[in-house]
Amino acid sequence: MPKMRIRLGRVHSSYIIGIGTLVLLIFYLSSNDRDSRGNVDRQDKEREELKDSVDSKSDFSTYIREAEAENSERLQRIQQVCHRYNLGLYKHSAGPPKFKHPPTPQYSVFYIDREHKLTWCPIYKAASSTWLYNLCLLAGYSEEYIAENHKQINQLAREAFPELDHTEAEEAFHSTLKLMVVRHPFERLLSAYRDKLENTRIGSEQGTAHFYLKYGSRIVAKFRQGGNGTRTQSLLKPGQYLWDPQLPEPAGFEPTFKEFVRYLIDVDVILYSDDHWIPFYLFCTPCLLNYDIIAKVETMLQDQVYVIRAAGLQGLIRPRWKHKTYSEDGKETSRRYFSQLSKQEVKRLYEKYKLDFELFDYKVDDYLQYATA
């Protein structure tokens, strides 16, 4: 008999939204609850990051006002950039747009929770594990069930929130809070490479074997002199990568980051792109849909507080960070991998993702400095 899904009791707060969120924050910062023993240090660090952020404000209302102002600026920037390039809802002339752009949103990619009036577009490698987990909690799964279940978190979430056809989705768009979470485009690409392509000897739960067969082997065959006859390790200089000494080294036939970037530069990312590196503007179509909140990985915990408050989800989910890969130390990681590239390669990669950079106010300067001449 299949194991039944465990339903959580619904906690509907009768407090004013702002007060409810403050209670949530106090609970989050002081709670002794742990997802598992191995997560103690990580969760403590998350609490400290969030506490430091809140403590730096004169009061909680100031914290929320600043978050609202920042979100308004993000939304306004999207409108300005979409108008500048004559895209989607902001098309203002008969001339062709500078960027190829889909005519409608990709309705099938959204997770739409009509009960809690929340629509989320998943940008993979941009806090997607966190929001998939949150959606599973909103669907009624307990944390214990999620931890013990053998299904991937995205499968659980999709079972709870099946794809809607375009008519149902359009209707839901008008009655739900629409959320998109983004990340520096180059950091997302590097995270995808390290998670999916760098090492086939680890990360089986992340599908590294599948990604090697579908992408890695072809990348090496096309962009490496000698193909698999040339070991990956022989192509890298000290300081150009970061491998955990406690884990097995790559097998030697995986693509380097430079080869992955050459693939991205060469391929038509509109027609042949994986969900983990497709441009944001193609996947979540912010020029075709009026989002309510644009959150960023770089301000992840603070933005979660704002989203939870705005969506009225106090008592149902709390700020958290699952499968965290972003940190200030990540700058050193980025420096190492981007030092494999020439400045020309960085510029060409930027051109592929230029619209994402402009829509969400990210800069390329640091990565040009990391590159070799």
Side-chain angles (χ1 to χ4, degrees):
M1 180 177 179
K3 186 171 183 177
M4 295 183 63
R5 188 166 70 178
I6 302 172
R7 287 278 172 181
L8 290 174
R10 302 298 186 191
V11 183
H12 296 289
S13 172
S14 60
Y15 297 104
I16 298 173
I17 288 179
I19 299 299
T21 306
L22 182 56
V23 171
L24 169 68
L25 263 177
I26 293 171
F27 170 78
Y28 178 71
L29 295 175
S30 61
S31 172
N32 290 320
D33 177 54
R34 300 289 188 268
D35 291 340
S36 68
R37 182 173 299 274
N39 287 334
V40 170
D41 291 341
R42 176 180 56 79
Q43 291 188 3
D44 284 344
K45 185 175 181 181
E46 288 176 8
R47 289 189 177 88
E48 286 304 313
E49 288 175 359
L50 186 57
K51 185 175 186 297
D52 289 345
S53 176
V54 175
D55 286 348
S56 66
K57 313 298 179 183
S58 59
D59 55 41
F60 187 71
S61 61
T62 300
Y63 180 84
I64 292 298
R65 283 197 302 270
E66 290 180 2
E68 288 175 340
E70 177 66 29
N71 185 60
S72 294
E73 289 179 7
R74 292 171 181 176
L75 296 175
Q76 185 176 27
R77 182 178 182 87
I78 288 173
Q79 295 173 10
Q80 292 170 344
V81 173
C82 293
H83 184 271
R84 182 189 310 151
Y85 292 116
N86 201 30
L87 298 173
L89 301 175
Y90 307 92
K91 187 175 177 64
H92 53 84
S93 72
K98 181 175 180 180
F99 296 91
K100 293 182 181 179
H101 198 269
T104 63
Q106 294 195 83
Y107 298 103
S108 63
V109 307
F110 291 90
Y111 288 82
I112 301 176
D113 179 353
R114 288 181 283 195
E115 178 181 351
H116 298 101
K117 299 187 182 303
L118 177 67
T119 291
W120 170 63
C121 184
I123 296 291
Y124 295 102
K125 307 311 299 177
S128 53
S129 296
T130 296
W131 279 100
L132 287 167
Y133 191 89
N134 285 338
L135 283 167
C136 285
L137 294 178
L138 292 175
Y141 295 113
S142 70
E143 296 198 40
E144 293 76 16
Y145 179 76
I146 296 172
E148 295 171 1
N149 196 277
H150 296 298
K151 294 181 180 178
Q152 293 285 338
I153 190 75
N154 62 321
Q155 184 180 352
L156 282 175
R158 185 53 82 190
E159 288 175 358
F161 303 105
E163 297 174 6
L164 301 183
D165 63 37
H166 72 277
T167 302
E168 291 179 305
E170 281 287 356
E171 181 180 338
F173 289 162
H174 292 293
S175 60
T176 57
L177 183 147
K178 295 171 290 298
L179 168 67
M180 181 178 175
V181 185
V182 297
R183 180 182 190 177
H184 191 291
F186 283 178
E187 292 299 321
R188 174 178 174 245
L189 294 178
L190 178 55
S191 179
Y193 164 76
R194 298 190 71 203
D195 199 36
K196 306 297 182 185
L197 292 168
E198 184 175 40
N199 192 342
T200 59
R201 298 176 67 188
I202 60 175
S204 59
E205 72 282 0
Q206 304 300 329
T208 52
H210 162 77
F211 275 83
Y212 175 75
L213 291 173
K214 187 173 183 180
Y215 299 106
S217 60
R218 298 177 184 180
I219 292 171
V220 169
K222 183 170 184 178
F223 297 104
R224 181 177 301 181
Q225 187 173 359
N228 283 336
T230 304
R231 285 179 56 80
T232 303
Q233 286 84 339
S234 69
L235 301 172
L236 297 173
K237 298 177 182 178
Q240 289 189 329
Y241 55 91
L242 187 63
W243 297 339
D244 188 336
Q246 297 182 0
L247 296 175
E249 278 195 3
F253 48 71
E254 298 91 341
T256 64
F257 183 62
K258 182 183 182 73
E259 290 166 342
F260 174 58
V261 167
R262 291 182 65 191
Y263 160 76
L264 292 175
I265 292 171
D266 181 70
V267 75
D268 185 337
V269 294
I270 296 176
L271 298 178
Y272 305 102
S273 194
D274 186 84
D275 291 352
H276 292 81
W277 47 82
I278 187 172
F280 306 152
Y281 78 91
L282 291 175
F283 198 70
C284 289
T285 56
C287 291
L288 286 170
L289 187 62
N290 289 316
Y291 283 89
D292 297 290
I293 297 180
I294 301 296
K296 291 189 172 184
V297 167
E298 293 81 4
T299 51
M300 177 66 179
L301 292 173
Q302 298 93 316
D303 287 351
Q304 280 194 78
V305 172
Y306 177 59
V307 173
I308 290 169
R309 172 194 181 276
L313 299 176
Q314 305 92 324
L316 297 176
I317 59 175
R318 60 176 174 79
R320 68 179 75 238
W321 201 330
K322 308 294 288 186
H323 197 191
K324 181 177 180 180
T325 59
Y326 172 82
S327 69
E328 287 300 315
D329 295 339
K331 292 182 178 180
E332 170 60 18
T333 303
S334 301
R335 186 198 64 75
R336 286 173 177 255
Y337 284 88
F338 275 82
S339 71
Q340 295 180 28
L341 310 181
S342 68
K343 293 187 186 300
Q344 184 62 27
E345 286 169 330
V346 173
K347 290 177 182 178
R348 292 182 66 190
L349 184 64
Y350 168 76
E351 288 299 319
K352 280 288 181 112
Y353 292 88
K354 178 180 178 179
L355 189 54
D356 284 350
F357 275 82
E358 294 196 27
L359 283 167
F360 302 104
D361 197 20
Y362 288 109
K363 308 301 180 188
V364 71
D365 307 63
D366 287 346
Y367 302 86
L368 286 168
Q369 294 180 11
Y370 301 153
T372 56

